[in-house]
Amino acid sequence: MPDVKIVILNWNGEAHLRRFLPSVVAAAPAGVGIVVADNGSTDGSLELLASEFPTVHVVRLDTNYGFAGGYNRALEQIEADIFVLLNSDVETPAGWLEPLLECLERNPDVAVVSPKLISFLEREKFEYAGASGGFIDFLGYPFCRGRILRTVEEDRGQYDDERDVFWVSGAAFCCRAGVFRALGGFDGDFFAHMEEIDLCWRMQLAGYRVRVVPVSRVFHLGGGTLQTDSPSKVFYNHRNNLAMLYKCSSSGQRLLVAVMRPALDLLAALSYLVQGRTDNFRAVFRAWRDFFRWHPALAEKRRTIRAARKAPVRHVYFGSIVLRYLLGQRTFGRLM
């Protein structure tokens, strides 16, 4: 029996802990530990945990290191064979974890597995952040089985087959601790957003598979830390996506991205300007500024990743999901 720990990263999430943690405790199989890693909260999170959840272990960090840095620092202090990283705004029904652990047991070359993510508020729909497994197009745009750009599908069981995917959401990320540590965990420079896609990409380059098991499902509220299209989220998504592509993509893909992405990101920035969202307009340019400043460090990371490469990456859509979307292809359908 592997040593399994559910680890929830928290930052000023007292309300989420009060609302969602009881379901996590109730659904945890016998022998599975639950840990809350607190990212320097200043609300009543720690007091709530001490008074109402005495069986939950707490790892205290001194400040907010973001999703990537917070998890990296917390997991250094946690001994386990399998880490189950879970957002604080996820409701877990009974029996959700067992199918994920069984998948890892059956498939020693699978590094990470995820359940199907359903919207907590609209339970007939997929949840935006991960739906039923994620993919990426050749220009770096992520999409999911159940969500293409802004269009989220109803869950009618159309994506209930267990299969390999390109990435799974960090909202419910069940991974082998040894692989996580061997690859250096999340890229701490990302702070937040895209870090799980980046890690899934590196896992595949190292010869592992990424898998979704939709027979397991959880309910995710989403948007608990940064609201959709906030300037901070726009900045992190653009910057980290460019950094991930620079580190992990093939030479041919990297060349096409270098040609196409500046124009596409300029169009995105101009669309924000037309809408009067000047903070988001500036966020796109700040993302490119920081990306250029990162070049020396990213080049070193790329050399390390390419030197350790053991396998080609599959499950990349060799086209533009943005173009397909504009032409009317707004559901996953038969894309891949």
Side-chain angles (χ1 to χ4, degrees), residues 294-307:
W294 274 5
H295 265 198
L298 290 174
E300 181 59 35
K301 290 178 181 180
R302 178 179 174 84
R303 283 191 290 270
T304 300
I305 292 167
R306 303 309 288 184

Side-chain angles (χ1 to χ4, degrees), residues 86-248:
L86 195 67
N87 276 17
S88 62
D89 58 350
V90 171
E91 178 184 278
T92 58
W96 78 280
L97 184 54
E98 289 86 342
L100 306 183
L101 301 179
E102 290 167 4
C103 178
L104 290 177
E105 184 178 0
R106 292 193 316 267
N107 301 281
D109 61 339
V110 170
V112 60
V113 63
S114 174
K116 177 170 64 175
L117 271 65
I118 301 297
S119 169
F120 178 78
L121 297 177
E122 299 179 89
R123 297 197 174 209
E124 75 284 0
K125 289 188 173 182
F126 290 103
E127 202 279 316
Y128 180 92
S132 192
F135 296 87
I136 197 168
D137 78 359
F138 207 65
L139 294 174
Y141 291 92
F143 60 100
C144 305
R145 294 200 305 171
R147 190 267 297 172
I148 305 291
L149 299 184
R150 295 287 182 188
T151 300
V152 180
E153 297 180 49
E154 290 187 3
D155 176 23
R156 303 185 304 277
Q158 67 271 42
Y159 308 123
D160 274 357
D161 55 309
E162 179 180 326
R163 63 161 293 176
D164 288 357
V165 292
F166 188 88
W167 61 273
V168 293
S169 172
F173 193 90
C174 179
C175 69
R176 299 186 189 278
V179 177
F180 184 92
R181 290 190 168 113
L183 296 179
F186 297 120
D187 188 327
D189 291 335
F190 279 26
F191 189 79
H193 297 293
M194 296 280 173
E195 62 284 301
E196 76 269 52
I197 305 179
D198 172 77
L199 179 55
C200 286
W201 199 335
R202 290 186 281 121
M203 285 174 168
Q204 292 173 84
L205 289 171
Y208 295 96
R209 292 190 290 145
V210 176
R211 200 157 178 84
V212 64
V213 180
V215 69
S216 168
R217 65 175 187 163
V218 298
F219 301 92
H220 185 208
L221 178 62
T225 304
L226 291 176
Q227 296 301 311
T228 301
D229 268 2
S230 72
S232 293
K233 192 163 189 174
V234 169
F235 166 73
Y236 286 127
N237 274 333
H238 277 79
R239 184 197 66 176
N240 295 348
N241 185 264
L242 292 168
M244 174 181 69
L245 286 163
Y246 189 94
K247 291 192 307 174
C248 300

Side-chain angles (χ1 to χ4, degrees), residues 19-62:
R19 186 177 190 181
F20 295 100
L21 188 52
S23 75
V24 179
V25 173
V32 172
I34 301 174
V35 181
V36 171
D38 188 77
N39 233 349
S41 292
T42 55
D43 65 354
S45 295
L46 294 173
E47 292 78 10
L48 173 71
L49 291 167
S51 63
E52 297 190 25
F53 302 97
T55 63
V56 172
H57 181 67
V58 177
V59 172
R60 299 190 183 200
L61 302 176
D62 60 336

Side-chain angles (χ1 to χ4, degrees), residues 150 193 226-239 264-289:
R150 295 287 182 188
H193 297 293
L226 291 176
Q227 296 301 311
T228 301
D229 268 2
S230 72
S232 293
K233 192 163 189 174
V234 169
F235 166 73
Y236 286 127
N237 274 333
H238 277 79
R239 184 197 66 176
L264 290 170
D265 283 2
L266 178 59
L267 288 175
L270 291 175
S271 73
Y272 287 129
L273 188 61
V274 169
Q275 297 169 52
R277 300 160 80 177
T278 55
D279 285 348
N280 286 0
F281 171 80
R282 290 192 293 269
V284 176
F285 287 95
R286 287 195 299 113
W288 274 90
R289 178 202 65 194

